[in-house]
Amino acid sequence: IDSFKAPLDKMQCIINASKILGRVLLAAKCDGADAFLPVLIYVILQANPKHLYSNLLFVRRFRNPALLHGEHQYYLTSMFAAVDYIERIESSKVAMDPQAFSAGLDRTLDRDSGCRGLTSPRTESSLSHASHAPSDPGFGAGKGSLLD
């Protein structure tokens, strides 16, 4: 998504990826919106695309609103929901070692560069009391991180 410049091209990348994910879910007999979002979150975490949040904001701000409806709006909203979930996830809700969780999330969010205004090193309290929400323009200020 980051290699494309125009909002239409970035949106088409989102649509293509979402349709592929939908076909995979359909083939696995897990069709439906209930399966889509959790798998989308997993795929985003595994792929860790650079500047994802900035690209999503770019599409939302510069894509013609008259053309952002139906399927396009659904996929864009799903991407924002997935990023929001990733932002707010807490180690107590995940079945893994809290230190490993914290280290992995720090790498993903590029916390050392001041991503999203959270303190470094990351603590459970800094995540749960984050000052920047996804609608905040300061959200995603790291260098090349998922949420940048």
Side-chain angles (χ1 to χ4, degrees):
I1 192 169
D2 201 42
S3 63
F4 298 104
K5 304 301 178 206
L8 173 63
D9 296 335
K10 290 178 185 288
M11 188 67 227
Q12 194 60 50
C13 183
I14 292 167
I15 291 167
N16 290 343
S18 297
K19 284 185 174 186
I20 290 168
L21 183 58
R23 284 194 297 268
V24 168
L25 289 171
L26 186 61
K29 298 188 186 338
C30 295
D31 57 329
D34 291 341
F36 183 78
L37 187 58
V39 174
L40 178 62
I41 291 167
Y42 177 79
V43 168
I44 289 171
L45 286 170
Q46 292 301 308
N48 195 17
K50 289 186 176 186
H51 312 291
L52 178 60
Y53 189 75
S54 295
N55 282 294
L56 294 175
L57 283 177
F58 182 83
V59 170
R60 186 170 68 188
R61 288 181 182 160
F62 296 108
R63 182 76 173 122
N64 183 345
L67 301 174
L68 201 54
H69 56 82
E71 184 177 66
H72 293 208
Q73 185 63 39
Y74 173 75
Y75 290 140
L76 185 62
T77 300
S78 295
M79 293 291 281
F80 272 109
V83 169
D84 184 57
Y85 178 82
I86 293 166
E87 154 62 12
R88 297 172 190 279
I89 195 168
E90 297 176 11
S91 64
S92 63
K93 307 291 185 204
V94 180
M96 68 185 290
D97 176 63
Q99 283 84 15
F101 171 84
S102 182
L105 191 59
D106 285 345
R107 279 191 307 275
T108 299
L109 296 179
D110 197 19
R111 193 76 55 177
D112 292 335
S113 69
C115 178
R116 303 178 44 196
L118 300 177
T119 60
S120 181
R122 183 186 160 279
T123 62
E124 199 60 46
S125 61
S126 69
L127 181 61
S128 61
H129 297 97
S131 61
H132 291 5
S135 60
D136 187 331
F139 178 82
K143 297 180 200 167
S145 66
L146 165 74
L147 302 179
D148 179 22

